[in-house]
Amino acid sequence: MAKLTSVEQKLWLGFAVPLVILAAGLIATIIYFELTLLGAITLLLALLVPSLLSLWYSYNKVMSVLDNLAVQLDSISNEELTVWQLSSYQGGRVAALKAEIQLVVERLQQKRQEYGQNEAFVFNFISELTLPVLVLDGHQQVYFANRAMADIYPNMTLDGIPASKLALNQVDEQWQLQQHSSRYKIASHPLYRGQRVYQLLVFVSVEQALRDNEKQVWQKLLSVLNHEVRNSLTPVSSMAQSLQQDRDAIPLATQQTMLGVIESRAAHLQQFVANYAQIAQLPAVEKQTIAVEVLANRWQALFPEVQIDVLSSGVLYCDEPQLTQAMINLVNNALQANQLASKQGITLTIEKRQQWQLCLQDNGGGIDNLDNLFVPFYSTKPNGSGIGLVLSREIIRNQQGELYLSNLADNQGAKALITLPLC
């Protein structure tokens, strides 16, 4: 027997049983009393039709209650917290069901009131924040904006304005502010209010972080400048003072030596300033496409001591001469690191993932001070200028790439990783 899966089926089955019994009784009566056709029809109409109408009425009432209950629940789900669909039933099981629904509604009203209080607190709190905060509704229109948003949109009433008119757009699910993209980074969070989903946008200023980083860079730079200039000027000042005060007591050969040292230190400072100018005056980038295999062949001829492995085919969009200059600096560093460690072996791996990756590895002793690698004029080499890595990174950054330096495991060499965007 098929399983009954609905209330309607079960009702029809319940109604069918008494109808079948009634019909069987009527047929038996007609046969027993040998009623004429007219009498049989009269008996059937008198008993069977009222029974059918009564059952049909009962069925419709049950379906009406269920329909009203469905409408009531739909109203509650849409936050229409009034119980009105079952108001005509003042007693019985339906009235008890109505009372239970009323209790649920009261609890929902209480929860909504608590939610409203919490929401008011949250929005009041957001209003006091110094960070600009914007709330967009499901149509990407401004639902709420705190006072700090006036720093970005002065003299504007933001409520109801579409996000597009505020130069706000989404790129890969990340909100961006076109006109102040260099000043603000936008953090977005979904905000649920009933069945509606809002977007909470927090505008985080990147200027302060940039200023802090810039301050740290300048502090390191000034420290290096102070160290370099003092090291050069201190002996120069001392020797100049000695030549001025005790020239007659100093042998002529010693005077010539002292003047030579003064000249040497002055030339060093002159070269030092020239190196600084070299960092500040990089030539403009002229990017062109070049096949990776062609670039690898050129570099193999330029660096015969480097093993070059090309793992991906394709083209790079770069300034090849400047990129080669950066690679020359990095290969020279790798050669010197291997020489100091009395080892050999340099590998360059070129492959394409989310972006082009050029990975140069040596077998030296690793990098001693990673924190100061990109501080201008800082060098751990006896005769190092301290600008090779700085120039290399600036060259790569000018081509929308990045240079990363790190040690291999157990300081068994170092790795220079260049990343460049895909064409």
Side-chain angles (χ1 to χ4, degrees):
M1 181 178 177
K3 185 177 180 180
L4 301 178
T5 58
S6 67
V7 173
E8 290 89 339
Q9 289 176 335
K10 294 180 180 181
L11 283 175
W12 283 119
L13 178 61
F15 292 161
V17 172
L19 283 175
V20 170
I21 295 174
L22 177 61
L26 290 175
I27 293 172
T29 301
I30 293 170
I31 295 173
Y32 181 78
F33 290 103
E34 298 180 351
L35 297 178
T36 62
L37 178 61
L38 180 60
I41 294 174
T42 302
L43 181 62
L44 289 174
L45 291 177
L47 296 178
L48 193 58
V49 171
S51 299
L52 288 173
L53 293 176
S54 176
L55 292 176
W56 180 253
Y57 174 80
S58 301
Y59 175 83
N60 284 335
K61 281 298 181 182
V62 172
M63 292 298 104
S64 176
V65 169
L66 294 178
D67 290 340
N68 289 338
L69 181 60
V71 173
Q72 184 68 70
L73 293 176
D74 183 66
S75 300
I76 293 174
S77 67
N78 290 318
E79 299 185 358
E80 297 178 10
L81 303 182
T82 55
V83 181
W84 53 272
Q85 284 292 334
L86 303 175
S87 58
S88 60
Y89 296 92
Q90 302 299 322
R93 188 64 189 89
V94 176
L97 178 61
K98 182 181 68 174
E100 293 177 6
I101 294 176
Q102 182 66 49
L103 183 61
V104 171
V105 167
E106 291 174 358
R107 290 176 180 173
L108 289 176
Q109 288 175 332
Q110 183 180 0
K111 291 293 183 182
R112 187 165 68 172
Q113 183 178 5
E114 293 174 358
Y115 177 84
Q117 293 173 349
N118 293 335
E119 183 185 67
F121 170 79
V122 169
F123 281 109
N124 288 335
F125 176 77
I126 292 175
S127 296
E128 300 300 325
L129 291 177
T130 56
L131 285 174
V133 178
L134 201 66
V135 178
L136 301 178
D137 61 18
H139 302 289
Q140 295 191 354
Q141 296 179 344
V142 176
Y143 176 76
F144 175 82
N146 69 347
R147 287 191 287 269
M149 286 301 300
D151 296 336
I152 304 177
Y153 304 102
N155 303 320
M156 286 184 64
T157 301
L158 300 180
D159 292 347
I161 294 181
S164 58
K165 292 188 177 180
L166 299 178
L168 283 168
N169 59 1
Q170 273 185 306
V171 178
D172 296 330
E173 298 184 358
Q174 175 65 46
W175 283 96
Q176 293 182 354
L177 182 61
Q178 297 174 358
Q179 61 191 39
H180 297 295
S181 58
S182 61
R183 291 184 56 194
Y184 293 99
K185 178 181 179 181
I186 301 178
S188 62
H189 305 276
L191 182 64
Y192 298 97
R193 188 173 184 267
Q195 295 182 341
R196 300 178 179 89
V197 181
Y198 295 78
Q199 287 291 325
L200 179 68
L201 307 185
V202 181
F203 294 69
V204 182
S205 174
V206 299
E207 290 183 340
Q208 186 59 46
L210 291 175
R211 284 195 291 267
D212 292 341
N213 291 336
E214 184 179 0
K215 181 179 179 181
Q216 293 178 5
V217 170
W218 277 109
Q219 286 176 343
K220 290 183 178 180
L221 177 59
L222 291 175
S223 176
V224 173
L225 287 171
N226 179 60
H227 179 269
E228 191 71 23
V229 173
R230 284 172 66 90
N231 283 351
S232 295
L233 292 184
T234 298
V236 168
S237 176
S238 176
M239 286 184 286
Q241 186 176 8
S242 298
L243 288 173
Q244 185 178 10
Q245 296 177 355
D246 304 319
R247 179 179 300 176
D248 296 335
I250 300 174
L252 182 60
T254 304
Q255 291 185 29
Q256 293 297 326
T257 301
M258 295 173 68
L259 289 173
V261 172
I262 292 174
E263 182 182 8
S264 173
R265 298 314 301 170
H268 172 75
L269 284 178
Q270 189 175 21
Q271 183 62 40
F272 183 79
V273 174
N275 288 339
Y276 180 83
Q278 186 179 0
I279 295 177
Q281 298 175 358
L282 283 173
V285 174
E286 297 181 3
K287 298 170 70 174
Q288 294 180 339
T289 57
I290 181 172
V292 172
E293 293 80 3
V294 173
L295 182 64
N297 291 335
R298 292 180 183 177
W299 283 356
Q300 192 66 78
L302 187 62
F303 313 121
E305 59 280 302
V306 178
Q307 176 185 338
I308 302 178
D309 298 323
V310 179
L311 304 182
S312 306
S313 61
V315 294
L316 280 169
Y317 185 59
C318 64
D319 187 320
E320 187 267 332
Q322 290 196 34
L323 184 59
T324 299
Q325 180 59 51
M327 186 57 67
I328 289 173
N329 293 336
L330 295 175
V331 170
N332 287 338
N333 286 343
L335 289 171
Q336 293 172 10
N338 280 354
Q339 185 178 6
L340 290 174
S342 300
K343 295 183 179 179
Q344 295 181 349
I346 301 174
T347 60
L348 173 62
T349 303
I350 303 175
E351 62 179 327
K352 178 169 63 175
R353 295 184 178 177
Q354 286 79 14
Q355 53 193 346
W356 282 108
Q357 295 187 357
L358 290 69
C359 183
L360 184 74
Q361 296 186 14
D362 61 52
N363 292 314
I367 302 171
D368 293 330
N369 193 337
L370 289 168
D371 294 334
N372 292 318
L373 281 177
F374 296 108
V375 176
F377 315 118
Y378 174 87
S379 177
T380 58
K381 304 173 187 176
N383 298 318
S385 64
I387 65 168
L389 288 176
V390 179
L391 278 173
S392 298
R393 186 172 70 169
E394 288 306 306
I395 287 172
I396 294 166
R397 283 184 170 179
N398 285 346
Q399 303 186 52
Q400 289 74 52
E402 189 55 84
L403 171 63
Y404 304 94
L405 297 177
S406 60
N407 285 323
L408 299 177
D410 300 324
N411 287 339
Q412 297 298 313
K415 177 176 73 174
L417 176 64
I418 297 175
T419 61
L420 292 170
L422 301 177
C423 293

